[in-house]
Amino acid sequence: MLRYQENNELHKDFHSSTNMTLDYIAGKYGVDALKMILRRTGRRVYKSIHDKLASGDASELVEHLNWFFMREQGKYQLTVEEDKIVFEVFECPAQKHLRKIGQAISPYSCLQTSEVNNGMCEDTPWQAELEIVAPGHCIQTFRKVVKK
Amino acid sequence: MIPSDHFVRFYNEVFKFLDEKGELDEYFARIAKNQEFFCLQQFKTGGLQGVYDYYLKIRHEENCQMDIVFEDNELIMKMTRCPSLSKAIDNDAGVCSKYCQHCLGWTQRIYDLAGLYQIFDLGDWDDPTCCEWIFDDLSKAQARFEEIAETVPAERLYKNF
């Protein structure tokens, strides 16, 4: 079950605010500071997802990806196996919206995905990877790593 | 991608980072610059009517519980449940105690540029309610401020004139 149950109207212009903020923080404080804030967001805001992943349960992560990308009318494919989740986003809804309103996409746009995902997985048996296939097209992979 | 639904919780983490450095206001100025893209022209050309129309859209898209009254060249926006602060509070990471300052920080700058006068009762940071009064006439704004200042504590009352 999702910790944050948003199901009403969407204000996609918030993607513009995120985009501006990525540039602002990286430009003024450096990329490491931006990564730190994004990781904190992944771990602390998504504490419920993080804590479930720590106990080996990826159900809320799967529900989160599916629900919020569906709400944003993203084009994606979600494949769930016991120890591996592959989430291929064919057209990033945030980048699509930025293009629609004529705003330049931050060079740190995909960092929001990789670092928030890393924050969710921090100190859990899961690891996140991000492969950028093309602009707006990425493959997010979550793997459950068995420590020897 | 941080979902647009969750932007405010990310924003809240940014506020905490900048508050530790004492550098929130510079960021608020940057937010205002970004907001110019979305509403400054509408506020400049439409005046109070432009602000009214903008917030009708925002009330719908952002799921605000807000009463908007526009009469006699006075626009009153009484937020009975701010969706932004509500999300920042309903948040496992905890709310930044200066969260509401961002709204004042960008709107004051936009109203300054649009030649409008704002009185803002920001309320308390742990209660998602607030109230704004907007005017296009300075003397009317000053007179209203005198009235409001009699009942609203000075520490939560702001104006741009």
Side-chain angles (χ1 to χ4, degrees), chain B residues 70-90:
Chain B
F70 182 26
E71 53 190 20
D72 298 330
N73 288 83
E74 179 183 41
L75 176 61
I76 306 171
M77 297 186 285
K78 184 175 175 53
M79 190 76 86
T80 55
R81 187 174 184 277
C82 168
S84 185
L85 180 59
S86 295
K87 284 186 184 183
I89 291 171
D90 176 24

Side-chain angles (χ1 to χ4, degrees), chain B residues 51-52 55-56 58-60 63-71 74-83 128-134:
Chain B
V51 178
Y52 176 77
Y55 276 102
L56 283 185
I58 290 298
R59 181 171 66 177
H60 175 70
N63 308 289
C64 306
Q65 290 178 19
M66 176 167 62
D67 300 324
I68 307 179
V69 178
F70 182 26
E71 53 190 20
E74 179 183 41
L75 176 61
I76 306 171
M77 297 186 285
K78 184 175 175 53
M79 190 76 86
T80 55
R81 187 174 184 277
C82 168
T129 63
C130 64
C131 192
E132 274 185 83
W133 295 258
I134 316 293

Side-chain angles (χ1 to χ4, degrees), chain A residues 80-140:
Chain A
V80 180
E81 298 171 17
E82 190 179 345
D83 294 334
K84 186 178 169 189
I85 298 160
V86 179
F87 185 57
E88 182 163 8
V89 178
F90 299 101
E91 187 177 32
C92 173
Q95 294 190 5
K96 183 182 178 186
H97 185 70
L98 292 168
R99 278 193 294 273
K100 180 184 164 191
I101 63 175
Q103 291 198 334
I105 295 165
S106 166
Y108 309 104
S109 180
C110 299
L111 202 67
Q112 70 183 287
T113 298
S114 59
E115 293 305 317
V116 169
N117 288 353
N118 285 337
M120 287 175 179
C121 293
E122 213 167 53
D123 300 324
T124 81
W126 292 80
Q127 285 183 353
E129 294 166 18
L130 177 70
E131 179 191 347
I132 311 294
V133 180
H137 181 183
C138 72
I139 301 174
Q140 301 172 40

Side-chain angles (χ1 to χ4, degrees), chain A residues 61-77:
Chain A
L61 171 64
V62 170
E63 197 177 352
H64 167 86
L65 295 171
N66 197 38
W67 177 248
F68 290 103
F69 276 75
M70 185 184 70
R71 272 177 62 68
E72 303 251 7
Q73 288 131 9
K75 293 176 183 166
Y76 63 91
Q77 180 172 297

Side-chain angles (χ1 to χ4, degrees), chain B residues 26 56 83 98 106 130 157:
Chain B
E26 197 176 327
L56 283 185
K98 293 181 182 162
W106 78 262
C130 64
L157 197 57

